[in-house]
Amino acid sequence: MEQNRPTGQANTSDLWYIDNYILLKDYYDRTISRIAARCVRKGNIAIEDYPFFGYILDVLEEISETGEYILEHRELYPYVERKIAGGLNGLKRTLTEYQNELRSNSTPDMIKEDSREVEKMKQALGTVDDKAADPTVGAGMGMDQLMEKLMQENNITPNFPAQEEKK
């Protein structure tokens, strides 16, 4: 059936993505309004502290995936122009906003395993030397070592009882 479709004409099953994007966007906007009101009633907590904030991110991810699908299928563009406010430019603008919101609120374990994302994280964090071979890394000084160092820095001679000096 798809073989008889003229080039550039959208498959009716692909039109579902446009309707789904519109519904998801509306649902997200209404959900954010509702959750914002709940956060105020819960003591004016931040939306990020809302117990079900992860669900909001899940909806954002679905909006992003649906929007990306639409952008990848040029045959949907005429329908985008008719069904989405602002047409293709409106879709790109709101999709970018939602994707930025998703990126800025995602936890590291939510970021997809993609070599570019891992590289970006490595660059952001800087190089980390492999210190797994040294068991004392991060242990710091012992209390005795710290006291000796402080006393040396302050030119204080230790006044230990005779039995402790033998150690």
Side-chain angles (χ1 to χ4, degrees):
M1 181 167 180
E2 195 170 312
Q3 295 169 346
N4 297 333
R5 183 167 46 111
T7 306
Q9 188 175 351
N11 186 339
T12 53
S13 64
D14 286 342
L15 295 177
W16 174 86
Y17 286 93
I18 294 173
D19 290 335
N20 192 47
Y21 177 83
I22 294 167
L23 290 171
L24 282 169
K25 183 182 172 303
D26 181 55
Y27 175 73
Y28 174 79
D29 292 340
R30 286 184 293 126
T31 301
I32 287 296
S33 295
R34 182 77 181 117
I35 289 174
R38 287 184 57 81
C39 287
V40 168
R41 285 196 310 265
K42 287 182 173 269
N44 209 20
I45 64 170
I47 289 180
E48 295 82 15
D49 295 332
Y50 184 69
F52 306 106
F53 182 69
Y55 177 71
I56 295 169
L57 297 178
D58 187 51
V59 173
L60 275 175
E61 186 174 34
E62 189 172 356
I63 290 171
S64 295
E65 290 170 356
T66 305
E68 286 296 327
Y69 181 89
I70 294 168
L71 290 177
E72 291 169 2
H73 292 83
R74 299 181 69 79
E75 66 273 10
L76 295 174
Y77 290 8
Y79 300 97
V80 169
E81 292 297 329
R82 282 187 260 150
K83 292 188 116 187
I84 294 178
L88 190 59
N89 289 333
L91 169 69
K92 288 179 181 178
R93 184 178 52 253
T94 57
L95 183 59
T96 300
E97 288 173 16
Y98 288 140
Q99 288 173 333
N100 287 338
E101 186 73 21
L102 178 62
R103 264 192 298 280
S104 66
N105 287 299
S106 294
T107 60
D109 60 324
M110 293 175 69
I111 296 173
K112 292 183 178 173
E113 283 294 327
D114 149 358
S115 60
R116 292 177 309 220
E117 289 298 325
V118 173
E119 272 309 307
K120 286 179 195 175
M121 289 177 68
K122 284 181 180 177
Q123 288 175 355
L125 295 172
T127 58
V128 179
D129 297 328
D130 183 19
K131 297 181 179 168
D134 184 0
T136 63
V137 169
M141 288 187 218
M143 185 56 80
D144 293 338
Q145 293 171 320
L146 176 63
M147 293 307 295
E148 282 180 37
K149 180 180 178 186
L150 288 173
M151 289 192 309
Q152 287 174 355
E153 287 175 358
N154 293 310
N155 295 326
I156 299 173
T157 54
N159 188 12
F160 295 119
Q163 58 190 10
E164 282 196 23
E165 285 182 34
K166 293 179 186 178
K167 283 187 180 179

